[in-house]
Amino acid sequence: MVVSWGFPHHTQMASHRNRTPTFFSNGYAFAGATVLGILALWAFLSFLTPDSGSIYAGRKSAVVNGVEENQECPDGSQGFDRLHDPPEKNFYDDPKLSYTIDKPITNWDEKRRDWLEQHPSFIPGAATRILMVTGSQATPCRNPIGDHLLLRLFKNKVDYCRIHGYEIFYNNVLFQPVMFTFWAKVPTVRATMLAHPEAEWIWWVDSDAAITDMDFKLPLHRYKDHNLVVHGWLTLVEKSWTSVNAGVFLIRNCQWSMDFMDAWAKMGPQSPEYDYWGKTLHTTFSDKVTHEADDQSGLIYLILKEKQKWGNKIYVESEYYFEGYWLEIVGTLDNITDKYLGIEKQVPKLRRRHAEKVSESYAMAWEEHLKDAGFGRFSWRRPFITHFTGCQPCSGDHNQAYSGEVCGDSMHKALNFADNQVLRRYGFRHKDLLDTSSVVPLGFDFPA
Amino acid sequence: MVVSWGFPHHTQMASHRNRTPTFFSNGYAFAGATVLGILALWAFLSFLTPDSGSIYAGRKSAVVNGVEENQECPDGSQGFDRLHDPPEKNFYDDPKLSYTIDKPITNWDEKRRDWLEQHPSFIPGAATRILMVTGSQATPCRNPIGDHLLLRLFKNKVDYCRIHGYEIFYNNVLFQPVMFTFWAKVPTVRATMLAHPEAEWIWWVDSDAAITDMDFKLPLHRYKDHNLVVHGWLTLVEKSWTSVNAGVFLIRNCQWSMDFMDAWAKMGPQSPEYDYWGKTLHTTFSDKVTHEADDQSGLIYLILKEKQKWGNKIYVESEYYFEGYWLEIVGTLDNITDKYLGIEKQVPKLRRRHAEKVSESYAMAWEEHLKDAGFGRFSWRRPFITHFTGCQPCSGDHNQAYSGEVCGDSMHKALNFADNQVLRRYGFRHKDLLDTSSVVPLGFDFPA
């Protein structure tokens, strides 16, 4: 069976057209907080590394598993104690606990907390630790250039995660054989939560979504009272199965999420309630054509119809491109490129070459110059995530409203737009966003 | 132009056949050192996290760049200060310093040291910090399943890096337009060193190499007096251009390496000396058919002919599969699987479920049961890296000694063999190493 999962639904296209009103900027400011952040971090770090007098200050070494370890930080992994799993029992030792979606988990918050207390080296940073999860089918794509696009889309996500210190897991098997296509992410995210108790957030990003602002970071402070973040806008008046996009979501690694995924999965093809939900969702959403329960309609149903139970803990983000429709974005990339170059020409600090590892400090410096850029549609800020909704890169069964060629060119353009943000830390750039093969060296102080 | 780079040379096949004598085990022991390592690490980590009484012990937060940061460890990136690049000048501010291969760099050790002192949060762990670099061509593969294989091979490397806390950079553009195919890695590694002064080692791994022992770590202690590590065996009697493999190497981020890459690159297609080196290498290596200078012959020439200048700092590893020939490895995977399962059935501790993050502690526990396994050829230890030399997954121009189908099946088998080591931390496994699509849930206490 050729599985083609994680791709959005072509009829979403229509919905994106209606988004205009909610995509205006709400322009919040950053500068003050960043200064505070620097000072606080600096204080902590000077304490972390008391002696910075030599390259390998205070370094002791020992041979561990055949490898010379820096005892302070094995392999530079900065304090995680990967070498120690205490013998005391934890949730992994419970025979009843299962990674599969069909067996509910209870007291997960307590179990996760106990694990963290048992593994204290993972506590610092745990509150904001993000693990990105993505994936695609196990078999080659039907679209001849499908796998090439998936390779580039994966590289793009790995670049973003490396720059910000996030980890990423790519899954290309079905953890529940019947939950194919867009349902496959649910058992994947579920199992990933159990495998990664050190992560607070699991960030599912469809394989056909590209990160097109390598600087932007999820505003986690907004979501501190919520457990699930999705992109869209909800009007209680007219119910549309495309008012939220289920292809990119941020979900907290907690009991609420386990329960939510159980409720969500009950609507899936492996469930005895599948047909019931197909009918229910069809009648609930006037614009839903099929009678098959899909993950996105199910998600919106739970937000709207079970608001008390679920909706209140779900944050529907609409103020920036948490994910954005490619057809509305790709045409703006040239103008955005010019805008950013114009600012760089004015501000020497933004042109300063630097190590990839400190890219975030330049992202902060950029913010004060992006105050008027806005967010999302009609803004000239780089779109955070460009989602190739309807292009179906792997199957090639793209929406008939546009050609596969337009999809392919747009993906390459968006990926090269993103790649230029990465490559400049390696001294190069694509001159032409449609010419994937060639790069030119960046002159010193480019683009002065 | 369709670029097909980073792939080894089909005539290497022959050479692998001759490797037998040097591939026997030298079985060194680990246990003592690991205990030492645990204690030392534990001591440091308890100090790092004084209060482990709650999940987010002593956590303060601030909004930085729109994101709630844990001031102790932004985004859980464990102490790296990504948010601070001091205004004081460093090597990046030198207009004469270039990322391109044609402009030599001087005093790199001093420049790197100064950068680290300017960025002390990157000092802990710097001495053993590894960055893996790999890549493939910018355009789709000619082989219809080529990009699908590259996607799986990249996922395999990302899995390994996530488990061990290494970072990975995938490059799919040419940093020197004339240095195509196997020469492309030289300018890529060179630029990566400048972009990552925090990394001590750059580990180039060809796109057609799969990591098939997710537990094994490079024995860096062996290489402490060397700057470049390659796989092979050298006999000064008979010179063969395949006595070393240039598709996987570990190179120290230091001035020696910069000078070495300059000397190496002088033999490349962009160099006025290209033809001279083509002739010289052809006459030097009796088994080299072509008159074109290739990276591997050039590397071996520098090791042998310029021993004083380069050879003494190059470690030719032959005691484990630093990279191994797939044709000699793939047939042994079933037996190795059985051997490991047999041991797990005897040792409950090895069956214990655990977080992916502490996988290394189980790798250590495994070592005492692998003392008799040996390393490399004729051993039953999992091969560290299986290199699909001659299969040319992207171009499909495989060695005529075997079929493309054998190459493809062998790659899937090796990748599923590796994937099973990853998937078990997510609760699943491939029952059949040739069935990529389906996995089954692992029973509790598998394989008891």
Side-chain angles (χ1 to χ4, degrees):
Chain A
M1 170 189 66
V2 172
V3 184
S4 154
W5 77 346
F7 297 136
H9 326 294
H10 67 273
T11 50
Q12 271 172 326
M13 213 194 132
S15 76
H16 282 87
R17 289 222 191 83
N18 305 330
R19 287 190 177 180
T20 317
T22 53
F23 272 74
F24 284 102
S25 157
N26 76 329
Y28 49 84
F30 293 126
T34 59
V35 176
L36 173 67
I38 286 183
L39 295 176
L41 272 160
W42 192 242
F44 165 68
L45 291 164
S46 352
F47 140 83
L48 178 68
T49 55
D51 166 16
S52 60
S54 76
I55 301 195
Y56 306 135
R59 172 169 160 261
K60 305 167 219 65
S61 73
V63 178
V64 179
N65 190 16
V67 179
E68 180 179 6
E69 297 288 10
N70 176 324
Q71 293 176 11
E72 289 170 2
C73 293
D75 302 334
S77 61
Q78 294 288 310
F80 283 151
D81 184 1
R82 301 171 187 277
L83 294 166
H84 185 61
D85 196 21
E88 292 70 33
K89 284 202 178 329
N90 58 43
F91 68 84
Y92 289 110
D93 301 300
D94 170 10
K96 282 187 225 64
L97 184 128
S98 165
Y99 291 85
T100 58
I101 194 88
D102 56 320
K103 307 232 173 55
I105 286 176
T106 54
N107 304 322
W108 176 238
D109 298 342
E110 188 187 341
K111 287 167 179 165
R112 218 192 122 209
R113 184 184 308 110
D114 292 346
W115 186 91
L116 275 166
E117 287 171 8
Q118 212 184 44
H119 301 79
S121 73
F122 296 98
I123 291 173
T128 55
R129 190 169 295 131
I130 294 172
L131 173 68
M132 186 185 286
V133 183
T134 181
S136 59
Q137 66 186 43
T139 51
C141 293
R142 262 186 287 127
N143 179 9
I145 63 159
D147 283 298
H148 177 69
L149 293 168
L150 292 183
L151 177 64
R152 292 204 68 195
L153 286 156
F154 182 33
K155 172 222 170 8
N156 163 264
K157 295 176 180 81
V158 170
D159 285 334
Y160 179 83
C161 289
R162 186 181 64 254
I163 289 167
H164 296 286
Y166 302 158
E167 285 183 345
I168 179 166
F169 171 59
Y170 196 100
N171 183 28
N172 50 12
V173 292
L174 296 175
F175 285 169
Q176 209 296 338
V178 185
M179 295 179 84
F180 51 84
T181 73
F182 40 76
W183 282 107
K185 59 190 171 240
V186 180
T188 297
V189 168
R190 208 303 199 138
T192 304
M193 285 184 175
L194 292 189
H196 291 276
E198 82 286 354
E200 177 70 11
W201 292 102
I202 303 297
W203 187 12
W204 174 267
V205 182
D206 271 353
S207 60
D208 65 345
I211 294 171
T212 40
D213 185 350
M214 290 287 166
D215 284 349
F216 195 82
K217 293 169 70 180
L218 292 166
L220 294 185
H221 63 292
R222 282 194 200 181
Y223 312 135
K224 62 182 188 302
D225 300 326
H226 293 80
N227 296 328
L228 176 63
V229 184
V230 291
H231 191 230
W233 71 108
L234 293 171
T235 58
L236 291 166
V237 197
E238 174 238 353
K239 288 189 190 54
S240 165
W241 81 284
T242 59
S243 56
V244 160
N245 185 291
V248 178
F249 60 84
L250 184 69
I251 188 163
R252 193 182 294 275
N253 191 357
C254 67
Q255 182 62 44
W256 180 95
S257 302
M258 296 292 183
D259 297 337
F260 177 81
M261 286 189 285
D262 287 344
W264 197 11
K266 275 205 176 60
M267 303 169 163
Q270 84 298 351
S271 160
E273 302 175 19
Y274 185 52
D275 294 341
Y276 164 79
W277 284 109
K279 291 186 197 71
T280 306
L281 297 174
H282 179 74
T283 51
T284 306
F285 300 102
S286 50
D287 58 350
K288 181 165 165 59
V289 183
T290 73
H291 286 68
E292 264 158 27
D294 68 281
D295 63 320
Q296 184 161 291
S297 305
L299 172 63
I300 301 167
Y301 183 95
L302 293 174
I303 297 173
L304 296 176
K305 295 281 197 164
E306 301 186 10
K307 195 167 187 356
Q308 292 310 315
K309 198 170 178 193
W310 308 115
N312 295 335
K313 283 291 179 184
I314 302 173
Y315 191 107
V316 180
E317 181 60 79
S318 61
E319 290 176 344
Y320 64 92
Y321 277 129
F322 184 84
E323 62 85 49
Y325 185 41
W326 68 275
L327 207 49
E328 135 189 336
I329 287 173
V330 174
T332 69
L333 296 180
D334 291 332
N335 179 45
I336 290 170
T337 303
D338 296 342
K339 279 279 202 178
Y340 277 64
L341 285 176
I343 292 168
E344 275 186 288
K345 284 183 181 157
Q346 302 304 317
V347 187
K349 194 202 162 171
L350 300 178
R351 302 196 297 264
R352 189 185 182 197
R353 300 193 301 192
H354 54 270
E356 186 182 65
K357 272 264 183 292
V358 294
S359 301
E360 286 188 0
S361 69
Y362 292 84
M364 292 191 317
W366 263 104
E367 281 307 324
E368 64 183 278
H369 304 281
L370 296 173
K371 284 207 190 77
D372 308 327
F375 293 85
R377 194 164 194 183
F378 301 126
S379 91
W380 51 266
R381 176 185 287 265
R382 290 170 180 154
F384 184 30
I385 295 187
T386 303
H387 195 167
F388 288 87
T389 309
C391 276
Q392 306 284 14
C394 191
S395 69
D397 303 335
H398 56 84
N399 186 314
Q400 292 310 311
Y402 34 80
S403 71
E405 199 182 356
V406 168
C407 276
D409 289 349
S410 301
M411 270 185 246
H412 284 300
K413 186 165 189 171
L415 287 165
N416 293 336
F417 177 83
D419 213 24
N420 270 354
Q421 297 166 48
V422 177
L423 286 174
R424 74 176 294 156
R425 276 97 190 205
Y426 296 78
F428 295 85
R429 70 186 257 267
H430 292 279
K431 244 172 146 167
D432 175 354
L433 292 185
L434 285 173
D435 180 359
T436 299
S437 296
S438 50
V439 292
V440 294
L442 278 174
F444 178 77
D445 205 29
F446 172 87
Chain B
M1 170 187 66
V2 172
V3 184
S4 151
W5 77 346
F7 298 135
H9 325 294
H10 66 274
T11 49
Q12 271 171 328
M13 216 194 124
S15 76
H16 281 86
R17 290 222 190 83
N18 306 330
R19 288 190 177 180
T20 317
T22 52
F23 271 72
F24 284 101
S25 157
N26 75 329
Y28 50 82
F30 293 130
T34 58
V35 176
L36 173 67
I38 285 183
L39 294 175
L41 271 160
W42 193 241
F44 166 68
L45 292 163
S46 350
F47 139 82
L48 180 68
T49 55
D51 165 16
S52 60
S54 77
I55 301 195
Y56 305 135
R59 171 170 160 258
K60 306 167 219 68
S61 74
V63 178
V64 179
N65 190 17
V67 179
E68 180 178 6
E69 297 288 9
N70 175 325
Q71 295 177 8
E72 290 172 0
C73 294
D75 304 332
S77 60
Q78 295 287 310
F80 283 153
D81 184 0
R82 301 171 186 277
L83 294 165
H84 186 61
D85 196 20
E88 291 71 33
K89 286 203 178 326
N90 58 43
F91 68 85
Y92 290 110
D93 301 300
D94 171 9
K96 283 189 222 61
L97 184 129
S98 165
Y99 291 85
T100 57
I101 195 88
D102 56 320
K103 305 232 174 54
I105 286 177
T106 54
N107 304 322
W108 176 237
D109 297 341
E110 188 187 342
K111 287 166 179 164
R112 218 192 122 209
R113 186 184 307 110
D114 292 347
W115 185 92
L116 276 165
E117 287 172 7
Q118 213 184 42
H119 301 80
S121 73
F122 295 98
I123 292 173
T128 54
R129 190 169 295 132
I130 294 172
L131 173 68
M132 186 185 287
V133 182
T134 181
S136 59
Q137 65 187 45
T139 51
C141 292
R142 261 186 287 129
N143 180 9
I145 62 159
D147 283 298
H148 177 70
L149 292 168
L150 292 183
L151 176 64
R152 292 204 67 194
L153 287 156
F154 182 33
K155 172 220 168 14
N156 163 264
K157 294 175 179 82
V158 170
D159 284 335
Y160 180 83
C161 289
R162 186 183 63 253
I163 288 168
H164 296 285
Y166 302 159
E167 285 183 345
I168 180 166
F169 172 58
Y170 196 100
N171 183 28
N172 50 12
V173 292
L174 296 175
F175 284 168
Q176 208 297 340
V178 185
M179 296 179 84
F180 51 85
T181 73
F182 39 75
W183 281 108
K185 59 190 173 239
V186 180
T188 297
V189 167
R190 175 28 161 95
T192 303
M193 285 184 174
L194 293 189
H196 290 277
E198 82 287 354
E200 177 71 10
W201 292 103
I202 303 298
W203 186 12
W204 173 267
V205 182
D206 270 355
S207 60
D208 64 346
I211 294 171
T212 40
D213 186 350
M214 289 287 165
D215 284 349
F216 194 83
K217 293 169 69 180
L218 292 165
L220 294 185
H221 63 294
R222 282 194 199 180
Y223 313 135
K224 62 181 189 305
D225 299 326
H226 293 79
N227 296 328
L228 175 62
V229 184
V230 292
H231 191 231
W233 70 107
L234 293 172
T235 59
L236 290 167
V237 196
E238 174 236 353
K239 287 186 191 55
S240 164
W241 80 284
T242 60
S243 56
V244 160
N245 185 292
V248 178
F249 60 84
L250 184 69
I251 187 163
R252 194 181 294 276
N253 190 358
C254 66
Q255 181 63 42
W256 180 96
S257 302
M258 296 293 182
D259 297 337
F260 177 80
M261 286 189 286
D262 287 344
W264 197 11
K266 276 206 176 59
M267 303 170 164
Q270 85 298 350
S271 160
E273 302 175 19
Y274 186 52
D275 293 343
Y276 164 79
W277 283 110
K279 292 188 197 70
T280 306
L281 296 174
H282 178 75
T283 50
T284 306
F285 300 102
S286 49
D287 59 351
K288 182 166 164 58
V289 183
T290 73
H291 286 67
E292 265 157 27
D294 68 280
D295 64 319
Q296 183 161 290
S297 305
L299 172 63
I300 301 168
Y301 183 95
L302 293 174
I303 297 173
L304 296 176
K305 295 282 197 164
E306 301 186 12
K307 196 167 187 352
Q308 293 310 317
K309 198 169 177 194
W310 307 115
N312 295 335
K313 283 291 180 184
I314 301 173
Y315 191 108
V316 181
E317 181 60 80
S318 61
E319 289 175 345
Y320 64 92
Y321 277 128
F322 184 84
E323 62 84 50
Y325 185 42
W326 66 277
L327 206 49
E328 132 189 340
I329 287 174
V330 174
T332 69
L333 296 181
D334 291 332
N335 178 45
I336 291 170
T337 303
D338 296 342
K339 279 281 204 177
Y340 277 64
L341 286 176
I343 292 169
E344 276 186 287
K345 283 183 181 157
Q346 303 303 318
V347 188
K349 193 200 164 172
L350 301 177
R351 303 196 297 266
R352 189 185 182 197
R353 301 192 300 192
H354 54 270
E356 186 182 67
K357 271 265 184 290
V358 294
S359 300
E360 287 188 0
S361 69
Y362 292 85
M364 291 191 319
W366 263 105
E367 281 307 323
E368 64 183 278
H369 303 282
L370 297 173
K371 286 206 187 79
D372 308 327
F375 292 85
R377 196 166 191 181
F378 302 124
S379 91
W380 51 267
R381 176 185 287 266
R382 289 170 180 154
F384 184 30
I385 295 187
T386 303
H387 195 168
F388 288 87
T389 309
C391 277
Q392 305 284 16
C394 190
S395 69
D397 302 335
H398 56 83
N399 186 313
Q400 292 311 312
Y402 35 79
S403 72
E405 198 182 358
V406 169
C407 277
D409 290 349
S410 301
M411 268 185 249
H412 284 300
K413 186 166 189 170
L415 287 165
N416 293 335
F417 176 83
D419 213 25
N420 270 354
Q421 298 166 49
V422 178
L423 285 174
R424 75 175 295 156
R425 276 93 189 210
Y426 296 78
F428 296 85
R429 68 184 264 262
H430 293 279
K431 245 172 143 167
D432 174 355
L433 292 184
L434 285 173
D435 179 359
T436 300
S437 295
S438 50
V439 292
V440 293
L442 278 174
F444 178 77
D445 205 30
F446 172 87

